[in-house]
């Protein structure tokens, strides 16, 4: 114990007061310096292959939270409760008095968080603890931190140490600033929060502390520290976008860089996946949910792609060195990849190969396993008999991802993904989005303000229907003021006129079940075009102004995409009647979500854009507010 404090004193590293109080009086603690050490701790020792993460509550009831297996390709963790296998979108509470638009702990619970903070510290002091240091972010852009968790929750600590860069305690640089901290107390989920996933953020001028009262890494180890990055950016006038990023090279050597944003389930991880061919080599674009008809195309060659980010991209001012284009850098050290779309061997050969025999241990979550077996990403844990968990995950270090790009990149296309339900004239919905649309910059900003969560979201516990994740789709993870982030995003768009914007659906295009094919075909098409402009007759203003421009025709390697996938109202199952009803649903959603941004603090240009929308403005109106030169 004293050795750690001596090293910190020598390097002038200052612990947060709560961390110092916990470690100075706890039962015991072990400092971990590598992910490999935490992988051993995850199963309770080097010779173990199975471990139960369990706790005894004050009423003597024993609760088993997770079953952990050592597998040939790493560690596999399965929650005993189906609710814990997905992120609850209502986890965040704010435990301080700083400015926020989020729900405060005091308002939700009826008492001051300081009381629970003291209880949390006392509980942690009664435990054997795991401790390690980390850096959230990359290339010195981000926040240094410390994690303190129960020693028996090694799998959770392992996931955190993979997602954020673990820093050995004896290699901490001089004056290493601890600006974030995570304290993990899983029993409080049962004793204080009626079994719910709760994460309390306590901010101060010097440190962003995260009190995680559950063991699912989504709200804390990943999105909690995303919140710390957003808090830092909010203070300094920049943001970390919620996106995947990929550089794509066409067979003709054009290179196009995509940033794909969107709410949870919006296709970020899928943007980095390959297109799956049918057994005869065809590509199934979609299957009609009413008639069973199929649309297939033939592509002799796919583009090559080079992953940059999986979920979070730093857009720090120091990176913005290319006039007119947004520049970004990965904010993560590993990727929390959802594999629900991989349901059988061969669906993604590249990711399957990477995860079956990795260069270093991986962490599998909600993937079926046995001690000593190999975890296979298409074997999803069953929530109930015959019902697989919709949120199986694997954490993969970016250092072992083939062809990964580690330097900052300039963004050519910012696409926004939305999960859409089937739409028919008998059952109209907002599933009226064509294969993809081109958006004027002002409309692109509006889509980021409303950020629809959309249909059948696999990542979170959701009641269904069309919800919103707000500004930039990262609002669920931010702790501060919504208008500040709206202004930052608008300023970002205005200053990057050479970056283009698209809107792309997944799951359904009208009545056609497409999965994630629209964004993958968009990736293929726009990369082949490179910087070439569209011909005037190729596109027109969409029937629904919120969708910007729609295509009249689209040809990919000589294969004409059917018009009914470009203009959903051309589908017999939808027609103009179903389409217009869906457009009204979409407009009402925008109207409902945009009202909250009309405050005096909003940028005047932003106010004009929102009022244009509320007044049912045209695409030309949006073009006048922020011109585009596509």
């Amino acid at each position: 114990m004293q050795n750690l404090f001596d090293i910190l004193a020598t390097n002038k590293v200052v612990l947060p007061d709560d961390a110092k109080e916990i470690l100075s009086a706890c039962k015991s603690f072990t400092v971990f310096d590598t992910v490999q050490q935490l992988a051993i701790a995850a199963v309770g020792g080097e010779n173990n292959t199975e471990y139960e993460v369990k706790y005894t509550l004050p009423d003597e009831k024993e609760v088993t939270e997770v079953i952990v297996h050592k597998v040939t390709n790493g560690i596999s963790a399965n929650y005993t409760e189906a609710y814990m296998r997905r992120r609850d979108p209502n986890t965040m509470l704010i435990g301080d008095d700083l400015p926020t638009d989020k729900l405060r702990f005091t308002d939700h619970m009826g008492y001051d968080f300081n009381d629970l903070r003291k209880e949390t510290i006392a509980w942690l002091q009664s435990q054997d603890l795991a401790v390690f240091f980390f850096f959230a972010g990359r290339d010195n852009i981000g926040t240094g931190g410390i994690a303190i968790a129960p020693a028996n929750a090694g799998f959770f600590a392992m996931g955190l140490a993979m997602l954020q860069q673990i820093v050995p305690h004896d290699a901490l640089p001089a004056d290493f600033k601890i600006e974030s901290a995570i304290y993990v107390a899983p029993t409080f989920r049962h004793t204080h929060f009626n079994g719910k996933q709760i994460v309390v953020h306590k901010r101060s001028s010097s440190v962003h502390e995260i009190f995680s009262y559950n063991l699912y890494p989504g709200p804390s180890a990943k999105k909690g520290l995303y919140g710390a990055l957003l808090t830092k950016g909010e203070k300094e006038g920049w943001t970390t976008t919620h996106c995947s990023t990929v550089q794509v090279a066409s067979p003709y050597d054009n290179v196009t860089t995509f940033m794909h944003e969107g709410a949870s389930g919006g296709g970020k991880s899928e943007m980095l996946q390959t297109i799956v061919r049918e057994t005869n080599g065809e590509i199934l674009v979609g299957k009609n949910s009413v008639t069973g008809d199929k649309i297939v195309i033939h592509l002799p060659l796919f583009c090559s792609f080079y992953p940059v980010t999986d979920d979070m991209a730093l857009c720090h001012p120091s990176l913005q060195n290319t006039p007119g284009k947004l520049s970004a850098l990965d904010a993560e050290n590993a990727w929390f990849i959802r594999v629900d779309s991989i349901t059988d061997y061969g669906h993604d050969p590249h990711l399957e190969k990477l995860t079956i025999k990795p260069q270093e241990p991986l962490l599998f979550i909600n993937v079926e396993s046995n001690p000593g077996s190999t975890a296979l990403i298409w074997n999803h844990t069953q929530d109930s008999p015959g019902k697989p968990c919709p949120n199986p995950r694997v954490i993969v270090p970016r250092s072992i991802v083939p062809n990964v790009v580690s330097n900052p990149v300039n963004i050519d296309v910012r696409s926004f993904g939305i999960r859409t339900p089937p739409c028919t004239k008998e059952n109209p919905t907002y599933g009226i989005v064509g294969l993809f649309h081109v958006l004027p910059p002002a409309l692109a900003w509006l889509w980021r303000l409303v950020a629809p969560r959309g249909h059948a979201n696999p990542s979170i516990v959701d009641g269904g229907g069309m919800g919103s994740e707000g500004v930039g789709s990262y609002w669920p993870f931010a702790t501060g003021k919504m208008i500040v982030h709206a202004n930052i995003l608008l300023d970002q768009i205005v200053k990057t006129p050479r970056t283009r914007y698209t809107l792309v659906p997944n799951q359904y295009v009208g009545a056609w079940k497409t999965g994630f094919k629209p964004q993958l075909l968009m990736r293929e098409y726009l990369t082949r075009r490179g910087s070439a402009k569209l011909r005037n007759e190729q596109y027109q203003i969409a029937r629904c102004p919120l969708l910007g421009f729609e295509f009249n025709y689209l040809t990919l390697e000589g294969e004409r995409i059917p018009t009914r996938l470009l203009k959903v109202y051309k589908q017999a199952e939808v027609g103009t009647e179903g389409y217009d009803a869906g457009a009204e649903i979409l407009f009402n959603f925008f109207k409902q979500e945009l009202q909250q941004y009309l405050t005096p603090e909003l940028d005047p240009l932003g106010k004009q854009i929102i009022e244009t929308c509320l007044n049912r403005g045209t695409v030309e109106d949006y073009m006048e507010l922020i011109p585009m030169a596509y």
Side-chain angles (χ1 to χ4, degrees), residues 513-526:
K513 173 68 173 173
T514 59
F516 293 95
K517 290 292 172 42
Q519 66 190 55
L520 300 180
L521 293 176
M522 177 195 70
R523 186 181 74 185
E524 294 288 322
Y525 178 76
L526 291 180

Side-chain angles (χ1 to χ4, degrees), residues 122-158:
W123 185 85
L124 285 168
Q125 288 175 334
S126 72
Q127 305 295 307
D128 297 308
L129 300 176
V131 180
F132 64 91
F133 298 90
F134 61 84
F135 187 81
R138 291 184 61 241
D139 290 3
N140 296 317
I141 302 171
T143 170
I146 183 172
I148 301 176
N152 70 341
F155 85 95
F156 178 94
M158 175 187 176

Side-chain angles (χ1 to χ4, degrees), residues 438-613:
V438 176
L439 295 179
L443 260 179
W445 180 66
L446 287 184
W447 273 97
R448 283 157 179 78
L449 293 195
V450 300
R453 186 176 292 149
H455 170 70
N457 193 308
S459 298
I460 63 171
V461 178
D462 195 0
M466 195 176 191
S468 171
E469 290 199 354
V471 285
S473 80
Y474 61 69
W475 179 242
F477 325 125
T479 60
K481 301 291 288 183
M482 182 178 281
I483 299 304
V484 175
H485 290 278
N487 287 337
I488 289 173
L489 285 172
L490 181 58
D491 181 66
Q492 188 184 73
I493 287 173
V494 169
K495 288 180 177 177
T496 54
R498 293 173 57 205
T499 294
R500 295 162 285 172
Y501 300 89
T502 63
L503 176 71
V504 60
N506 68 67
Q507 304 316 307
Y508 287 89
V509 175
W512 290 82
K513 173 68 173 173
T514 59
F516 293 95
K517 290 292 172 42
Q519 66 190 55
L520 300 180
L521 293 176
M522 177 195 70
R523 186 181 74 185
E524 294 288 322
Y525 178 76
L526 291 180
T527 301
R528 282 169 166 80
R529 287 195 68 87
S531 59
K533 289 187 176 182
L534 296 170
R535 299 172 65 177
N536 290 336
E537 69 271 17
Q538 189 179 353
Y539 64 95
Q540 65 182 29
I541 290 173
R543 185 178 179 90
C544 172
L546 293 174
L547 302 184
F549 295 93
E550 63 189 15
F551 284 87
N552 293 321
Y553 62 86
L554 193 152
T555 306
L556 187 56
E557 293 288 358
E559 295 277 341
R560 184 66 67 97
I561 302 297
T563 304
R564 59 189 179 275
L565 292 185
L566 306 176
K567 304 174 181 179
V568 170
Y569 53 86
K570 295 290 187 181
Q571 296 178 19
E573 298 83 4
V574 181
T576 55
E577 177 187 348
Y579 182 96
D580 291 347
E584 192 64 18
I585 292 171
L586 200 55
F587 171 75
N588 287 333
F589 175 74
F590 271 67
K591 182 179 178 181
Q592 170 188 308
E593 295 299 327
L594 290 176
Q595 299 281 357
Q596 61 191 318
Y597 293 97
L598 291 175
T599 69
E601 295 79 21
L602 182 66
D603 186 292
L605 174 59
K607 183 173 184 287
Q608 285 183 278
I609 296 171
I610 290 176
E611 288 177 342
T612 296
C613 178

